[in-house]
Amino acid sequence: MSGSTLGNLFAVTNFGESHGPAIGCVIDGCPPGMALSEADIQSDLDRRRPGTSRHVTQRNEPDSVEILSGVYQGVTTGTPICLLIRNTDQRSKDYGNILETFRPGHADYTYLHKYGVRDPRGGGRSSARMTAPTVAAGAVAKKWLFEKYGTQFKGCMTQIGDVVIPFESWEHVPNNPFFAPSADVSALEDYMDALRKAGDSCGARIRVVATGVPVGLGDPLYDKLDADIAFAMMGINAVKGVEIGAGFASVAQRGTTHGDSLSPDGFMSNNAGGVLGGISTGQDLDVSMAIKPTSSIITPRASIDTAGNPSEVVTKGRHDPCVGIRATPIAEALLALVVMEHALRHRAQNADVRVATPDIARQRG
Amino acid sequence: MSGSTLGNLFAVTNFGESHGPAIGCVIDGCPPGMALSEADIQSDLDRRRPGTSRHVTQRNEPDSVEILSGVYQGVTTGTPICLLIRNTDQRSKDYGNILETFRPGHADYTYLHKYGVRDPRGGGRSSARMTAPTVAAGAVAKKWLFEKYGTQFKGCMTQIGDVVIPFESWEHVPNNPFFAPSADVSALEDYMDALRKAGDSCGARIRVVATGVPVGLGDPLYDKLDADIAFAMMGINAVKGVEIGAGFASVAQRGTTHGDSLSPDGFMSNNAGGVLGGISTGQDLDVSMAIKPTSSIITPRASIDTAGNPSEVVTKGRHDPCVGIRATPIAEALLALVVMEHALRHRAQNADVRVATPDIARQRG
Amino acid sequence: MSGSTLGNLFAVTNFGESHGPAIGCVIDGCPPGMALSEADIQSDLDRRRPGTSRHVTQRNEPDSVEILSGVYQGVTTGTPICLLIRNTDQRSKDYGNILETFRPGHADYTYLHKYGVRDPRGGGRSSARMTAPTVAAGAVAKKWLFEKYGTQFKGCMTQIGDVVIPFESWEHVPNNPFFAPSADVSALEDYMDALRKAGDSCGARIRVVATGVPVGLGDPLYDKLDADIAFAMMGINAVKGVEIGAGFASVAQRGTTHGDSLSPDGFMSNNAGGVLGGISTGQDLDVSMAIKPTSSIITPRASIDTAGNPSEVVTKGRHDPCVGIRATPIAEALLALVVMEHALRHRAQNADVRVATPDIARQRG
Amino acid sequence: MSGSTLGNLFAVTNFGESHGPAIGCVIDGCPPGMALSEADIQSDLDRRRPGTSRHVTQRNEPDSVEILSGVYQGVTTGTPICLLIRNTDQRSKDYGNILETFRPGHADYTYLHKYGVRDPRGGGRSSARMTAPTVAAGAVAKKWLFEKYGTQFKGCMTQIGDVVIPFESWEHVPNNPFFAPSADVSALEDYMDALRKAGDSCGARIRVVATGVPVGLGDPLYDKLDADIAFAMMGINAVKGVEIGAGFASVAQRGTTHGDSLSPDGFMSNNAGGVLGGISTGQDLDVSMAIKPTSSIITPRASIDTAGNPSEVVTKGRHDPCVGIRATPIAEALLALVVMEHALRHRAQNADVRVATPDIARQRG
């Protein structure tokens, strides 16, 4: 249970630091007999990778994944799958004074108090780079869920700073560097250019959706499907809020509006976001999250040094002006890992359950 | 790990159904040597209890807790503490047609698909009544954390339906049935009376805060303190969204604003909500959540029956018109349980850590 | 994970002290839809119960089990099953000087050092009485495994003190108070009578067998089926050794003898004891364990008091002169709980596996 | 919880197959601030390594360990430590007919039934080679326990085949290839030479001891220290029996003999093997285990093929004629991992416990 493992039956143990020799994960519990190669994983890693547009950090890491175990002759064996990503960009950086001071909004202060020691290279373990192994593990879960149940995962950015992004179509998402569901992203480009010029950063809002989710996943109490989703999303670097279905809008809703009616053709709305009583309804899982502005900005900030005296911090180097831009594939991966865990858990207990009532959500799909 | 246990080192296993013989929990891992009696637990249970004002359900359950184990001569022994609450209101109800139909917004449909069978009495295990054992366990955690670290927990309602409740003082909270931090709650009374007359229900927004939290609690990845808080809060019945610190407001913030500066006297703001990099800063943990409108309303709703045919559902009996009203002590309890878990976990690994940097947040406190 | 839970998917959390208000357990993860009543559980409890012959302690506890949750209309619902056994024999005892001294062979010294406090009533949590909830949980597992796979569990005593008990037939086991597989137990009766007269106690050797075990249960590393069996058996009060299949005899065996040959009709021997590489072969699981002599004897023993000064301890009251006599149903229960856990775990990961090779062990059965 | 992780607070996740690209483990939960280098780990790996005498397999693997994470500037950071061992001996072997048949005493049959697929290269995951990462993790635990508590681990062989090895002194252990505590091992050499000539294999008995163990480690029920030790030892490849303290000899002991008396100078014997009621007494942990004869022998064996038809199996290549010979460092490592886990767990719950009674076992030490 030590904190670096996500999931119990599809258990992903994450290791590594941003600028150490390597990062990676061990996936324990993957069902055997599934075709799996590095290529199946690499495509999601490439979507998360830095250096792909001028709006993200220019650090250039290929993030090439190597499968060290658990796959024989291109097929999963059911034993632990170790995925390794060597760090290629380990050169010593000019860290400015971050070794002796605490950067506002960063984990420097908390790590030092927790451990008494920390690896400062590139943010060490608190770096957004540590999401790469999670994305890799998520790709394995996605593949299995799709082949078994037809479940699919997609995400997009719905707001950047104070610019709300209109939802036009999922098709636009892969065609721009923002994961925006809009054809024209010129306003976003301009917004980001101005922000970068101002030496500042901004937040973002991300939405992620799972379709084709089996009905019945999740436990009543405490391991609800939505609780595990909230855990996974809030655990992404910089996330400060999570909502499911109607989310915070449900505060002002009435019961007559919020509760999704049922018909033989399916649910008639999805305020629930695909979860009732902690258990999947078979409708789309629909999740949004708030991502805070990047803490690494070139504008000087007031802080203290490790002796507790006043100091000033300037973050050097190029950083993502909006960490939310690369968050979409990460959120998809985490949603997939949560669904995977509960899919296995569900059949452990309930493989013999037969129900007369039709699965109305799936039926419509 | 089966889904009914919260926490690993301070592990709370919940059992029971709303109208079965009893509900309760087993707390495993409580440190020994702490004075503990039923009275220490009963006060929080009474705050959550129904029937205390005209704005909540009139079901009258005393919710008397009995300590069955783990306490000897008024002191915890370090062995499992079983807390039992007998259900006194088990009489057979007029369930209308809820056995053959699925209530919109309820877990009827999902439970049946998951298990093939369900206990429908009073909502069975999906009843809000099942939060009582959690509140009881939370009282034990609160007591230990206060005695050990001076940590305290408090909560309030900040919005009901579309009525935003101005924060005046924590002192008002115990003086009104809404847990509102305002002196005058007549507008809330009127709002609720109108709602009840309309046969409808509404949502709410709840805020919960922990003060005096030790610095250093939480793991970097995946078991972040804020991730575990999100899990715990999203797991409360009817919660659809969770935010920490600036929450969703951080989307539109700039980095120059959001990142909390440090000074020798402490952090200069708390947009982080008390967590950086998944680890507590020592500032207040500050959490908000959205609670959906009660699903049990007397207005008829479209649904299907268990054969999949169209039907109509009417929920009889008295129900909370706003489940959020009684959610405050539940949220406090869950926050306490998460902090407790991480406090024990932290000292397991890091009991020997000594840091030269002063604990600036605590210092100011 | 706190220490009082056995199993992960079929998770049994044990609570209570020997002379507190009640003992019991919560079973989390039981598959839904199985008929279950108190009577299904009571029969195994009665087999373990004290006071049934002159060779065991005369404490008279009915050990009546009450199902508090997880069963509706006589059928498991898939939610936690709380089993409660009220202690009826709580009267204050004459503890002699055991509050101020440490009884040799008992847990007094270790509990005090661990917790700084202990519940001394009847041995508190270290009492053999705490195996009753385990036996109750085991009865639930046995029922499910039998209905699903035809798996059955049986046990017997194979040695008491230095008297080896010849194996004649399983049929004799229920017909004598020793769980001996022999028709004539007069030698055992005489041995026990002499022992009691001498104010002494003796050890025992117990064997437990599972038949009809599915092939494929257990994980390669670390959670081997035999490792989990060893854990469960060594965890029974007073057990000091565990062996599987040929056990310690395998030290002197040759490879040509030990390795069980295979034929189309099944394995040709069972030195493996039903497990190869940590995974069940489908043959009988065959386990033996050594149980130490009862520590509570009337002969005075040298010890120290809680201040560390020399003292002498005499244990008053009636105690089992051989705790092994009542161990057979406990060992059966634990074996059932381990098999149950792995049966659920196996199908979580491997429900889709199809193998061309016939299941030779089952075939023969 | 998926089966490949040992421990919860000091959690070791093992990955790899004998002839895949690499084997290794991730240690999660290691306390920060401990000096650690590859050299600290390599020495124990070298003790386990094949090819060091004519009595063990001649496979030549350097087993060089690389630390990939969790250590910065030679000091543990408290984050996951990934240890990687590249396999250098991956060349395709002549497997004879083991792909189409099942070797008696091997896991071929059970793996195929469990997973439907298996990696046959060098035994895949069931190879004794998979103990190398465990030994590496154990070295980290040993170092921490020694520095914190002065705890030390040592082991020896006490019987090989039917040759009982007299205990003379721990000092002899590193001076012969058998880990024998005797000055003269010529009888063992002769025995092994004869065995090899006969194309057969034999079993062994191993003893492992921990000294300087803190009092109070272990949970009363179910996670007893001795139960976890039994789990760990039975999980070592080829182990068929485990005993603690007097072990199986306790069956024939009397209570007057078995129960270890206490005096102000310490316990007066150690039949308990260092554990009472599942909790460490502070005396030496004293554990023995039975290891079955190597299953890979050149003598042909009756078996079946994957279609279920009769077949014959011959194992080619050089194999250890007694796998027990290299088991001593493995058993030490596992004992260290169990003690480490419970040391962290104990202070999580009981860091505040203060006891007036002196720690008599430690005192004497």
Side-chain angles (χ1 to χ4, degrees), chain D residues 317-362:
Chain D
R318 286 292 301 273
H319 294 274
D320 286 294
C322 174
V323 283
I325 293 179
R326 296 196 284 131
T328 296
I330 303 167
E332 288 173 25
L334 282 157
L335 189 58
L337 290 168
V338 171
V339 172
M340 182 78 196
E341 169 70 20
H342 280 282
L344 298 186
R345 204 186 278 205
H346 178 62
R347 70 182 190 178
Q349 185 185 26
N350 301 315
D352 303 316
V353 169
R354 300 291 173 269
V355 186
T357 305
D359 177 352
I360 55 168
R362 167 72 56 141

Side-chain angles (χ1 to χ4, degrees), chain A residues 1 3-6 8 12 14 102 104-107 109-116 125 130 134 159 161 191 195 200-205 215-216 218-224 226-228 230-231 234-235 237 240-244 247-248 250-256 258-264 267 271-272 275-277 279-281 289-290 292-294 297 299 301-304 306-308 310 345-346 349-350 353 355 357-360, chain B residues 1 3-6 8 12 14 102 104-107 109-116 125 130 134 159 161 191 195 200-205 215-216 218-224 226-228 230-231 234-235 237 240-244 247-248 250-256 258-264 267 271-272 275-277 279-281 289-290 292-294 297 299 301-304 306-308 310 345-346 349-350 353 355 357-360:
Chain A
M1 57 142 279
S4 307
T5 298
L6 181 75
N8 287 285
V12 180
N14 183 304
F102 304 110
H106 274 281
Y109 179 83
T110 54
Y111 267 64
L112 189 70
H113 272 280
K114 183 173 193 70
Y115 296 119
R125 188 143 179 82
M130 291 317 305
T134 306
Q159 186 174 340
Y191 183 84
L195 191 71
D200 214 336
S201 63
C202 74
R205 186 182 177 103
V215 64
D219 286 306
L221 184 68
Y222 296 96
D223 291 355
K224 298 184 176 192
D226 40 357
D228 273 338
F231 170 84
M234 193 66 92
N237 300 43
K240 301 303 287 181
V242 181
E243 48 183 22
I244 293 176
F248 277 90
S250 63
V251 171
Q253 283 179 329
R254 296 292 171 96
T256 41
H258 181 91
D260 305 309
S261 294
L262 296 82
S263 84
F267 287 91
N271 284 300
V275 188
L276 284 173
I279 301 170
S280 64
T281 63
M289 71 212 69
K292 73 177 186 181
T294 311
I297 50 177
T299 309
R301 308 296 312 281
S303 186
I304 58 172
T306 53
R345 204 186 279 206
H346 179 61
Q349 185 184 27
N350 301 315
V353 169
V355 187
T357 305
D359 176 352
I360 56 169
Chain B
M1 56 141 277
S4 307
T5 298
L6 181 75
N8 288 285
V12 179
N14 182 305
F102 303 109
H106 274 281
Y109 179 83
T110 53
Y111 267 63
L112 189 70
H113 271 281
K114 183 172 194 69
Y115 296 119
R125 189 145 178 81
M130 292 316 305
T134 306
Q159 185 175 339
Y191 183 84
L195 191 72
D200 215 336
S201 63
C202 74
R205 187 181 176 102
V215 64
D219 286 307
L221 184 69
Y222 297 97
D223 292 355
K224 298 183 176 192
D226 41 356
D228 273 339
F231 170 85
M234 193 65 93
N237 299 45
K240 301 303 288 181
V242 181
E243 46 183 23
I244 293 176
F248 277 90
S250 63
V251 172
Q253 283 179 327
R254 295 292 170 97
T256 40
H258 181 90
D260 305 308
S261 295
L262 295 81
S263 84
F267 287 92
N271 284 300
V275 189
L276 284 174
I279 300 170
S280 64
T281 61
M289 69 212 70
K292 73 178 186 181
T294 311
I297 51 176
T299 308
R301 309 295 314 279
S303 186
I304 58 172
T306 53
R345 205 186 279 204
H346 178 61
Q349 185 184 26
N350 301 316
V353 169
V355 186
T357 305
D359 177 352
I360 55 168

Side-chain angles (χ1 to χ4, degrees), chain C residues 107-158:
Chain C
D108 305 339
Y109 179 82
T110 54
Y111 266 64
L112 188 71
H113 271 280
K114 183 172 192 70
Y115 297 121
V117 60
R118 68 188 170 94
D119 178 348
R121 298 169 298 174
R125 189 144 178 81
S126 64
S127 166
R129 179 158 176 69
M130 291 316 305
T131 58
T134 306
V135 167
V140 179
K142 281 179 175 178
K143 187 167 193 292
W144 190 85
L145 288 167
F146 178 70
E147 294 180 3
K148 177 76 184 175
Y149 298 113
T151 313
Q152 287 184 282
F153 298 86
K154 55 193 176 194
C156 62
M157 179 182 275
T158 55

